[in-house]
Amino acid sequence: MEFDGADVFKIIQAQFIAPGIKRFILEAPRIARKQRPGQFVILRVNETGERIPLTIERSDPEKGTVNLVVQSIGKTTHLLNSLETGDSILDIVGPLGKPSEIANFGTVVVMGGGVGTAMAYPTAAAMKRAGNRVITILGGRNKDLVLLEREMREVSDTVFVTTDDGSYGDRGLVTDKLRQLIENGTRIDLVLAVGPIPMMRAVAEMTRKERIRTVVSLNPIMIDGTGMCGGCRVLIEGKSEFACVDGPEFDAHRVDFAVLVQRNSMYRDAEKRSMDDFGPELEKRAMELEMACALEAKR
Amino acid sequence: MSTTVPKKSSNPIPNRERIKMPRQHMPEQPPLIRAQQFTEVNLGYSAELARQEALRCIECAKPSCTDTCPVGVKVKDFVQLIVDGDFLGAAAKIREDNVLPAITGRVCPQEDHCEGGCLLKKKGESLGIGYLERFVADYEQQHFDVKNIVKAPPTGKKVAIVGSGPSGLTAAGDLVQRGHQVHVFEALHEVGGVLTYGIPEFRLPKKIIREQVDYMRAMGIEFETDVVVGRTVTIDELLEEEGYDAVFIGTGAGLPQFMGIPGEHLNGVYSANEFLTRINLMHAYEFPRYDEPMVDFRGKNVAVIGGGNTALDAIRSALRLGAGKAYVLYRRSEAEMPARIEEVKHAKQEGIEFQVLAAPIEFLSDGKGWLSAARCQKMELGEPDASGRRRPVPIAGSEYEVPLSVAVIAIGTSANPIVQSTTPGLNTNKRGYIQADEISQRTSRKGVFAGGDIVTGSATVILAMGAGRRAAKGIDDFLKSGQW
């Protein structure tokens, strides 16, 4: 942010919550005051940085803080996760996107895959407050990558956990658990799925047959986040819509996931080059921090 | 201002001689050199060239240059100050009506305004008013100390400006000169709106925008970036909770239009807004020093669809990023092109190929999700349409293919709904643009004014500035009278 010169957004707290995944508590009073479940921010770490969209896990309007959960994937997220308490971020803008539609639907199944859980969490909480029965299914590659289980338990009637390697909860995918629920005859009025694209696509395919209303939160490449550039356009039943202003949540059964995957791969070469140029140093730094974090946790 | 008695001209050349003097050429970088870099094409007049050019002014009794200027710059007066050698005086004279002279001196379509109205044009070539304005503004930047800015006595009134593009900056400048406290909100991380994200470095260097904005800061205007009004804070909150007495909405024509033809979602198909934002705002042309990437199309074919300034900015940028072949595909003929004449000339010099009376009807895939070609159709001109320009009519059986790696769609924009949809009682027209009075720029909401592209749809920098100017007067009247 610039307010007569050089203001920035302060990191009140930065802490790894899983390997390569960090939670930031940031001072952003305007955003904290307005954030609603389902919305996101766009940030730019420094002067030469790119703008990337990130999930808002929760916010505290009184303290004027916003929580972000960030997984190290490319250069920017690695750079972000190398920042610590007391550091700052140059630009954060939001809250962006349409808030989730919250109503008493009946029974809502909330599915969170990896860091997607951070985006699903505020919506799950709001769904619970609206009187829904909330069944949560959390998934991750392994135990460490199952996020926000404690928080999700607080806002869910039931929580199931699956891991790819069986290191925690049931071995398998979140969709395996969803299928079980459907086969057991559990009444499901709405599914919210937030996670990697293959997961969201699999959920959409499964619920389409069952005619269960399903909402997914999409994560295309974005720049401005206000509808100005059209870079985040997604194909919704053959029609272009902008994830930043028309979404990020869409009816899963209308989304063309193949086009989303294709468009998200547009800068793969450049992203690789960025990581090759800057990655080793950042990764080393992130690893050191992780180890320090792990040591501290042991103590 | 108006009280001064017209002084005798210090120009020693008789009028009949002046009309014979040739227009001074703008020094510019050689085409083949500049086509490889993003530094500014035009190099600017020297003091000597400026004075030579200023001497051409025939000092009309009723100067139409001022009448045709959307902000009413007193052209004859500032040109005479150049003749006198009083360049700072000339700058101050322009600033009475135009707070962004270094910008308009570069991007204004002068042929449609001041220079179009210039009497010299009837005799040959119009006075180089834009070039002179640019010279004066650049001279001021180098020689004027902003500490000498005289501030108006404060009125105690606070005005919020939404959007830091041409209309917002102009409204802000005029309002602060009337003693109001002005706070400008910008959604992006840099101030300037379309000047910053839309116009490339080679036509309007970022340094110039920053200097003009710094001048405005010195005038007392506050800027706050990273605020999307409508999302981060609403118009009602600004008025009711943050204590603003009036709000000006200058959010621009936000949403890029697509053509609705097959293949628009392919990788390599961009909106002009995205293409230019990546390059201008995000510095993708300096990748990997800057992180924002751009598809690597070095040596490959790139086309822009459209014939406006945005289209030419995009394709000339593509050329500078190493495009092998760079095409403009425009569905009407060159005569109907809305771009500035100078930009078309520059683009041709740089080697851009114009395919007019042609439009794509489909983008073709390479089978892996990337653009490989555009299937185009030839057009002929029919009867004039609502815009007064002759309508393009497809010629049956004229389809042909252009192999392309990147296509940039620059066919216009539509209204960004964020502010309208979050401001109850703010009336819009059928197309979603905000309704505002043509003179006061008042909207349907008390204390809320709007102007620029968010009211008119896509137009030019100077027309938006004109709206900002009218709004500043409308706001000032409202703040003084309290009447709505």
Side-chain angles (χ1 to χ4, degrees):
Chain A
M1 172 176 66
E2 170 190 12
F3 181 13
D4 276 347
D7 272 14
V8 288
F9 294 84
K10 243 191 136 143
I11 300 172
I12 307 291
Q13 200 189 83
Q15 202 171 17
F16 277 102
I17 57 171
I21 298 173
K22 207 166 189 174
R23 175 189 281 129
F24 292 93
I25 303 178
L26 295 149
E27 199 173 75
R30 281 195 187 276
I31 302 171
R33 200 173 143 213
K34 297 292 282 189
Q35 182 255 335
R36 298 288 173 270
Q39 292 187 301
F40 62 95
V41 292
I42 284 186
L43 62 74
R44 189 176 71 131
V45 181
N46 57 22
E47 199 53 49
T48 55
E50 61 179 343
R51 292 170 65 103
I52 60 161
L54 286 169
T55 291
I56 305 172
E57 179 210 8
R58 67 165 88 188
S59 56
D60 186 332
E62 242 107 85
K63 288 187 187 145
T65 57
V66 174
N67 293 15
L68 305 181
V69 175
V70 182
Q71 181 169 29
S72 304
I73 296 169
K75 180 189 172 186
T76 301
T77 44
H78 275 98
L79 181 66
L80 249 176
N81 282 353
S82 74
L83 300 179
E84 295 172 61
T85 304
D87 288 343
S88 54
I89 291 168
L90 191 54
D91 296 289
I92 308 178
V93 64
L96 300 169
K98 284 186 184 163
S100 308
E101 186 194 339
I102 305 296
N104 190 346
F105 294 97
T107 298
V108 177
V109 173
V110 176
M111 305 175 71
V115 280
T117 307
M119 189 104 186
Y121 166 72
T123 305
M127 288 293 189
K128 182 69 195 159
R129 282 195 300 275
N132 291 285
R133 176 180 177 221
V134 175
I135 301 172
T136 293
I137 309 174
L138 299 180
R141 279 203 312 277
N142 55 45
K143 181 172 194 256
D144 286 340
L145 295 173
V146 175
L147 300 183
L148 306 182
E149 185 189 342
R150 185 175 54 80
E151 289 85 344
M152 278 299 205
R153 284 196 187 279
E154 285 167 14
V155 300
S156 309
D157 294 86
T158 315
V159 173
F160 299 102
V161 177
T162 65
T163 51
D164 296 8
D165 64 357
S167 55
Y168 187 53
D170 291 353
R171 185 193 192 103
L173 303 171
V174 283
T175 39
D176 298 335
K177 183 53 75 177
L178 178 66
R179 183 180 294 117
Q180 266 181 32
L181 288 176
I182 292 169
E183 282 168 2
N184 291 347
T186 311
R187 182 195 159 90
I188 302 172
D189 298 290
L190 177 75
V191 172
L192 169 73
V194 192
I197 297 173
M199 166 205 147
M200 293 192 287
R201 172 155 47 184
V203 171
E205 273 159 22
M206 189 175 290
T207 58
R208 189 197 313 270
K209 285 177 223 137
E210 308 295 330
R211 297 175 183 230
I212 301 170
R213 187 173 163 194
T214 301
V215 171
V216 287
S217 182
L218 304 185
N219 56 342
I221 295 168
M222 274 184 201
I223 306 180
D224 65 291
T226 66
M228 183 271 283
C229 85
C232 67
R233 60 190 191 275
V234 285
L235 210 53
I236 304 295
E237 265 181 1
K239 197 173 144 269
S240 275
E241 293 197 26
F242 296 171
C244 68
V245 286
D246 301 319
E249 291 182 0
F250 290 95
D251 176 345
H253 301 151
R254 301 174 60 219
V255 173
D256 188 327
F257 286 100
V259 165
L260 181 63
V261 170
Q262 165 218 309
R263 288 187 60 82
N264 274 1
S265 73
M266 196 149 157
Y267 299 99
R268 205 156 34 199
D269 293 348
E271 286 159 2
K272 187 176 177 306
R273 175 155 179 206
S274 280
M275 265 314 278
D276 288 350
D277 286 359
F278 298 91
E281 182 199 329
L282 289 163
E283 263 179 350
K284 194 175 143 221
R285 189 146 177 235
M287 293 254 282
E288 282 167 9
L289 279 163
E290 257 173 53
M291 281 167 67
C293 172
L295 275 174
E296 206 163 289
K298 265 189 192 164
R299 270 189 224 129
Chain B
M1 283 185 269
S2 53
T3 53
T4 51
V5 181
K7 69 181 181 74
K8 205 173 172 309
S9 170
S10 54
N11 188 340
I13 303 166
N15 259 357
R16 61 178 184 282
E17 295 299 322
R18 292 186 208 173
I19 58 176
K20 292 182 197 153
M21 292 165 67
R23 175 169 159 136
Q24 297 299 318
H25 289 293
M26 167 60 75
E28 57 189 39
Q29 289 192 61
L32 294 181
I33 292 176
R34 70 184 192 232
Q36 295 171 44
Q37 56 194 30
F38 275 83
T39 48
E40 198 177 3
V41 170
N42 286 348
L43 302 170
Y45 276 167
S46 62
E48 190 42 45
L49 278 178
R51 197 158 173 278
Q52 278 297 319
E53 182 63 21
L55 285 169
R56 294 179 64 226
C57 177
I58 52 174
E59 300 168 61
C60 306
K62 285 187 186 148
S64 59
C65 45
T66 298
D67 297 343
T68 49
C69 174
V71 296
V73 169
K74 296 184 260 309
V75 175
K76 185 170 90 171
D77 295 358
F78 97 74
V79 172
Q80 290 319 300
L81 287 161
I82 297 176
V83 171
D84 294 343
D86 181 3
F87 302 143
L88 285 182
K93 184 55 73 182
I94 298 174
R95 279 194 178 276
E96 288 174 10
D97 304 289
N98 175 0
V99 292
L100 304 168
I103 292 167
T104 49
R106 287 172 164 83
V107 302
C108 204
Q110 286 91 8
E111 64 263 25
D112 297 337
H113 302 288
C114 55
E115 294 183 20
C118 179
L119 271 188
L120 281 177
K121 196 178 177 184
K122 298 200 173 81
K123 312 279 180 191
E125 279 188 295
S126 58
L127 185 67
I129 299 169
Y131 296 163
L132 290 172
E133 180 178 53
R134 176 193 150 129
F135 164 76
V136 162
D138 289 354
Y139 183 91
E140 179 194 46
Q141 172 57 33
Q142 284 160 22
H143 295 93
F144 181 73
D145 187 342
V146 291
K147 288 196 202 89
N148 296 326
I149 292 173
V150 182
K151 289 186 187 171
T155 61
K157 300 285 186 187
K158 261 173 79 176
V159 184
I161 306 283
V162 182
S164 67
S167 71
L169 290 179
T170 302
D174 280 7
L175 285 163
V176 83
Q177 283 177 327
R178 289 174 160 106
H180 306 302
Q181 192 188 328
V182 182
H183 191 95
V184 181
F185 294 98
E186 167 56 46
L188 294 171
H189 57 258
E190 248 188 79
V191 174
V194 70
L195 304 170
T196 295
Y197 74 74
I199 303 181
E201 189 74 13
F202 58 84
R203 206 151 72 82
L204 178 63
K206 300 290 159 289
K207 180 172 165 283
I208 303 288
I209 304 167
R210 277 196 291 270
E211 287 166 357
Q212 299 275 294
V213 169
D214 284 344
Y215 190 103
M216 302 188 87
R217 282 201 181 89
M219 293 166 89
I221 297 166
E222 295 168 354
F223 290 91
E224 186 175 349
T225 54
D226 296 332
V227 176
V228 180
V229 171
R231 291 262 190 258
T232 315
V233 63
T234 63
I235 300 279
D236 285 298
E237 286 163 347
L238 292 175
L239 289 167
E240 285 156 26
E241 294 169 29
E242 301 204 11
Y244 288 98
D245 300 293
V247 177
F248 173 74
I249 304 167
T251 45
L255 303 184
Q257 280 176 10
F258 288 90
M259 306 178 73
I261 62 174
E264 266 178 337
H265 57 274
L266 289 171
N267 292 359
V269 180
Y270 286 96
S271 76
N273 274 7
E274 183 189 356
F275 191 78
L276 288 168
T277 299
R278 281 184 179 274
I279 294 169
N280 300 330
L281 178 73
M282 303 309 299
H283 295 257
Y285 68 97
E286 295 183 78
F287 180 85
R289 194 165 82 76
Y290 281 77
D291 293 336
E292 195 77 51
M294 178 59 92
V295 165
D296 184 358
F297 50 74
R298 282 174 295 179
K300 297 178 184 164
N301 294 0
V302 179
V304 69
I305 292 99
N309 288 319
T310 305
L312 293 191
D313 283 345
I315 199 65
R316 293 172 71 199
S317 297
L319 193 71
R320 283 158 173 79
L321 284 167
K325 276 205 164 173
Y327 304 103
V328 171
L329 296 177
Y330 182 54
R331 63 195 185 124
R332 304 181 205 246
S333 79
E334 204 177 310
E336 286 83 21
M337 268 194 189
R340 289 178 82 217
I341 291 168
E342 187 180 38
E343 308 312 329
V344 176
K345 183 188 92 180
H346 281 161
K348 285 183 175 168
Q349 287 172 347
E350 290 164 10
I352 309 278
E353 190 181 308
F354 284 69
Q355 291 194 5
V356 297
L357 292 165
I361 49 174
E362 184 179 2
F363 293 115
L364 305 173
S365 168
D366 69 349
K368 293 176 217 146
W370 285 83
L371 176 70
S372 65
R375 206 151 63 82
C376 297
Q377 193 169 39
K378 292 222 166 97
M379 302 281 177
E380 58 191 353
L381 291 180
E383 294 301 306
D385 62 13
S387 73
R389 295 174 298 176
R390 292 180 63 192
R391 186 194 305 275
V393 181
I395 300 173
S398 66
E399 287 86 358
Y400 67 105
E401 273 182 28
V402 184
L404 289 178
S405 293
V406 166
V408 183
I409 300 170
I411 58 165
T413 52
S414 53
N416 189 316
I418 291 181
V419 170
Q420 296 89 304
S421 63
T422 53
T423 311
L426 185 67
N427 289 351
T428 55
N429 67 16
K430 271 186 215 148
R431 294 187 301 151
Y433 293 102
I434 298 174
Q435 286 181 344
D437 183 85
E438 284 176 16
I439 293 161
S440 67
Q441 303 297 135
R442 286 182 183 201
T443 68
S444 55
R445 280 286 308 271
K446 187 180 178 185
V448 180
F449 299 74
D453 286 3
I454 195 60
V455 170
T456 59
S458 317
T460 61
V461 168
I462 191 67
L463 289 173
M465 289 174 63
R469 191 128 221 257
R470 291 193 298 278
K473 181 162 186 315
I475 292 168
D476 187 54
D477 290 345
F478 166 65
L479 293 178
K480 278 184 183 143
S481 69
Q483 302 287 315
W484 190 255

